[in-house]
Amino acid sequence: MRVGIVGLGFRLGYLGHVFTAIDGDVDIVGYVDPAPAGLPGLEAKSISAGTRYETLAELIAAGPLDLLMIGSPNHLHLDHIREGLEAGLKVFCEKPVVISVDESYELARLMARFGEDRLMIGLVLRYSPLYRDLRAAQAEGAIGDVVSIEASEHIEPYHGAFFMRDWRRYERYSGSFMLEKCCHDLDLYNGVVGARPERVASFGGRKSFVPANDPAQRGVNDLELFHRKPSGWLGSDKVFDSDGDIIDYQVAIIEYANGVGMNFHTNLNVPDQFRRFCVMGSRGMAEGDFVRGFLHVHEGMGNRRIIDRTYANETALSQHYGADEQMAADIIAHVRHGRPLPVSTRDALEAGILALAMDEARTQRSVVDLRPVWDRFDEARMARAA
């Protein structure tokens, strides 16, 4: 399978390794990136990235490609997706797929034109064993009707500092922290609820990564922690005096079309990080944590624990709780044989629109009504090329 990459950053460099490890017939034949931060990682594993091209058009023209993989900064995704689809290629794009509601409408129109099976999105947590087990328990009736959800994604200070130093610190490139980092989680819970979010309120800001909290002000000289995770394009050494405009904590409440309520919390400065959820239903309750690696399901009558499972935080290949290698295997099978995937472009866009609504609610200090957005979104999805 011949693969081309546009945006060979750390993530696509890592996924290049995973894809070739899963299937020895995967061959990366070329890439486009003026400063490929992910290239040394591939070379260290004796994996060739093929020929370097100046533009995506040159990479496509050199073809043929069975799959175009997009790992460029988020604000470039839409143009790269469009170029790949118009060239007749199957396309894999890292999350988040686009960075605005208007871009979501535009991509919906592209899907109406080219078909959703041509575009695959890297919402990798859909492939994790924990999430698959959660959905299986839900399908078997262990939870009953979902009533409410409490969920969070919290990351350690070294990871939060990375966001303050990386290009992702600028919303004009990333979309926002909620979109860039938490679209994974919002997609998962949208899937559990089985309905679209309709009303959103949110609050947040930056209170940890500010000059007053710089450990250097307290005479701490060992600041390696905050520079442990390398940044690529537009990288900076500034952490507590970052010029970025992203938040470092945010809370949100969501009401779905079927009446389910959810609260969601993210924080970039949590020493003992966790990524957990509790799904409360009419017949039972499911509680889990991706970082701490467990899933507990309790039945409502008698409070008996009917599922008690543990999971590895990382595996030999996966940085995402066993999900990366499963995603690679499923994407390869989809490209070769058309095997269905557990997450669609529509799922990705709906999670992204929810994240963007959270940020609108936060900045406008208002409750955002998403129903008009879904009307326009569905109109775009039904569009056809002239």
Side-chain angles (χ1 to χ4, degrees):
M1 189 171 87
R2 292 171 57 86
V3 174
I5 294 176
V6 56
L8 184 52
F10 292 117
R11 177 63 179 164
L12 263 289
Y14 162 69
L15 282 183
H17 162 56
V18 175
F19 272 65
T20 55
I22 290 294
D23 190 324
D25 289 332
V26 171
D27 183 18
I28 303 173
V29 299
Y31 69 93
V32 179
D33 194 316
L39 184 60
L42 285 176
E43 292 177 337
K45 295 178 172 63
S46 300
I47 300 170
S48 172
T51 304
R52 179 179 177 272
Y53 296 91
E54 293 295 326
T55 67
L56 178 54
E58 291 177 3
L59 171 61
I60 292 172
L65 296 176
D66 298 300
L67 179 65
L68 173 66
M69 298 185 72
I70 298 174
S72 50
N74 304 344
H75 70 295
L76 301 175
H77 285 180
L78 181 60
D79 287 341
H80 290 157
I81 290 169
R82 182 188 294 109
E83 195 167 351
L85 293 177
E86 289 178 344
L89 300 177
K90 289 200 171 186
V91 178
F92 169 89
C93 183
E94 256 304 309
K95 59 78 191 169
V97 58
V98 291
I99 66 166
S100 71
V101 173
D102 285 340
E103 286 193 351
S104 300
Y105 298 149
E106 177 60 26
L107 184 55
R109 285 188 284 269
L110 286 174
M111 293 300 95
R113 178 181 171 191
F114 292 105
E116 287 202 13
D117 65 329
R118 293 268 303 280
L119 179 60
M120 296 144 271
I121 309 299
L123 286 167
V124 68
L125 293 190
R126 283 268 188 157
Y127 299 84
S128 65
L130 193 163
Y131 185 68
R132 291 186 175 205
D133 288 348
L134 169 64
R135 295 307 306 277
Q138 182 182 13
E140 291 165 2
I143 301 170
D145 295 330
V146 177
V147 177
S148 59
I149 298 176
E150 179 179 303
S152 60
E153 181 187 8
H154 302 311
I155 62 175
E156 291 179 310
Y158 87 91
H159 204 170
F162 161 79
F163 278 94
M164 293 299 153
R165 295 184 293 105
D166 192 61
W167 59 263
R168 294 167 176 85
R169 69 189 184 272
Y170 301 121
E171 290 193 355
R172 63 184 179 274
Y173 299 134
S174 65
S176 72
F177 177 81
M178 184 64 75
L179 178 67
E180 158 65 25
K181 190 71 175 71
C182 302
C183 63
H184 277 308
D185 306 79
L186 302 180
D187 169 60
L188 298 185
Y189 307 124
N190 283 354
V192 169
V193 172
R196 285 172 169 170
E198 282 198 347
R199 280 171 285 274
V200 181
S202 184
F203 309 92
R206 194 189 305 178
K207 297 182 73 173
S208 292
F209 290 102
V210 296
N213 293 330
D214 188 345
Q217 302 295 326
R218 306 193 303 271
V220 177
N221 296 317
D222 184 7
L223 302 179
E224 179 274 336
L225 167 70
F226 302 109
H227 301 272
R228 182 178 303 166
K229 185 176 174 65
S231 58
W233 179 60
L234 291 183
S236 168
D237 288 332
K238 295 182 180 296
V239 177
F240 293 90
D241 53 350
S242 169
D243 63 348
D245 52 11
I246 61 170
I247 55 87
D248 63 22
Y249 79 98
Q250 190 168 347
V251 296
I253 55 175
I254 304 97
E255 183 182 42
Y256 285 84
N258 59 1
V260 172
M262 180 171 80
N263 60 53
F264 185 80
H265 180 199
T266 187
N267 191 298
L268 283 67
N269 188 39
V270 178
D272 189 9
Q273 68 180 2
F274 54 93
R275 193 174 199 170
R276 68 189 179 200
F277 60 84
C278 188
V279 179
M280 279 74 76
S282 59
R283 295 184 181 178
M285 164 183 139
E287 182 181 9
D289 191 316
F290 290 93
V291 172
R292 297 174 183 178
F294 71 86
L295 174 65
H296 299 158
V297 178
H298 285 78
E299 64 178 6
M301 299 293 292
N303 192 28
R304 184 171 63 95
R305 184 179 291 181
I306 56 176
I307 295 177
D308 186 350
R309 294 177 187 159
T310 59
Y311 305 84
N313 194 310
E314 293 186 2
T315 64
L317 279 178
S318 179
Q319 297 175 348
H320 291 95
Y321 330 113
D324 289 294
E325 61 263 53
Q326 186 63 58
M327 182 180 74
D330 285 4
I331 292 290
I332 292 168
H334 178 76
V335 171
R336 286 183 170 153
H337 310 297
R339 182 181 299 172
L341 297 172
V343 62
S344 68
T345 304
R346 175 181 169 180
D347 295 327
L349 289 172
E350 290 182 354
I353 287 171
L354 174 55
L356 292 164
M358 290 177 175
D359 286 306
E360 180 183 351
R362 175 178 59 84
T363 57
Q364 299 299 318
R365 295 182 174 273
S366 64
V367 176
V368 173
D369 184 352
L370 278 170
R371 288 172 293 182
V373 175
W374 298 132
D375 288 343
R376 290 191 60 188
F377 180 69
D378 288 334
E379 181 180 357
R381 291 179 58 236
M382 297 299 109
R384 291 294 182 268

